[in-house]
Amino acid sequence: MLLTAETSALLLIDYQGKLMPMIDGAETVLSRALLLAEAAHLCGVPIWATEQYPQGLGGTAPALVPWIERIFTKTHFNAAAELDLPEALAAWQGRRIILGGCEAHVCLLQTALGLHSLGWPVTVVGDAIGSRRASDKAAALHRLTQAGIPLISAEMAAFEWVQHRDAPAFKPVLAAVKKGAL
């Protein structure tokens, strides 16, 4: 099943200022998240984010903030367990939730599994997630796969949202891909 911009929504999990420097491969993870957010914006995909206890972990990485329409503060690792997020998600009915975030084996994993258990179609962008240790990210990817949650890359999402080279978003998305290539 290919993604479409009309049936996707992007949820960015905890790309926070004090957490990102501790993430293994943080530069790549954030670069992929930026590509994902920019492509989503260019293709009309709604973009929300979460922040886990921002008083301690800081706010969302400043580079992502301009793309985000709404930020939810949370204390549960599973964002789907927060009282306001499931209610707000009603606006996304009929959409597949595309997830990226940190830490892959804690908040990202628990949110993906939580949304999945509530019946939401979920896809995780594997190159836009990170943990402090590579082994924890690998374990999260394995567990997501075992749960039947599809894994894709940021570029896969971007070009599936664009669909063809004549689309108005094609050239700006291609420029974002080239800009973000590491």
Side-chain angles (χ1 to χ4, degrees):
M1 173 200 76
L2 294 174
L3 301 179
T4 67
E6 298 77 24
T7 59
S8 295
L10 179 60
L11 184 59
L12 302 172
I13 306 294
D14 306 347
Y15 291 99
Q16 292 171 255
K18 292 183 181 177
L19 178 60
M20 290 310 296
M22 296 183 283
I23 298 298
D24 180 56
E27 183 180 341
T28 300
V29 170
L30 189 55
S31 171
R32 300 288 83 196
L34 284 166
L35 168 60
L36 197 58
E38 188 171 350
H41 174 76
L42 289 165
C43 294
V45 174
I47 307 164
W48 290 352
T50 64
E51 293 177 347
Q52 175 72 26
Y53 186 65
Q55 303 88 328
L57 294 175
T60 300
L64 286 172
V65 171
W67 308 111
I68 297 169
E69 299 163 20
R70 185 169 180 188
I71 296 176
F72 294 84
T73 300
K74 64 185 186 66
T75 55
H76 286 88
F77 300 135
N78 171 8
E82 292 290 328
L83 294 176
D84 55 345
L85 183 63
E87 184 178 307
L89 286 174
W92 286 1
Q93 196 64 43
R95 292 181 180 262
R96 173 169 289 277
I97 300 177
I98 311 304
L99 289 174
C102 298
E103 282 197 67
H105 65 294
V106 183
C107 294
L108 181 281
L109 175 75
Q110 290 187 32
T111 299
L113 294 175
L115 291 168
H116 185 68
S117 72
L118 292 173
W120 285 94
V122 176
T123 296
V124 171
V125 183
D127 58 348
I129 68 172
S131 292
R132 286 170 288 143
R133 286 177 292 285
S135 60
D136 286 331
K137 177 180 173 178
L141 290 169
H142 178 74
R143 189 159 176 206
L144 290 163
T145 301
Q146 292 299 311
I149 295 174
L151 303 175
I152 62 172
S153 72
E155 284 190 31
M156 290 167 76
F159 287 113
E160 287 177 31
W161 290 331
V162 169
Q163 295 185 358
H164 58 83
R165 75 156 314 284
D166 294 330
F170 172 71
K171 286 185 180 179
V173 166
L174 181 61
V177 167
K178 289 179 179 179
K179 176 179 65 178
L182 291 176

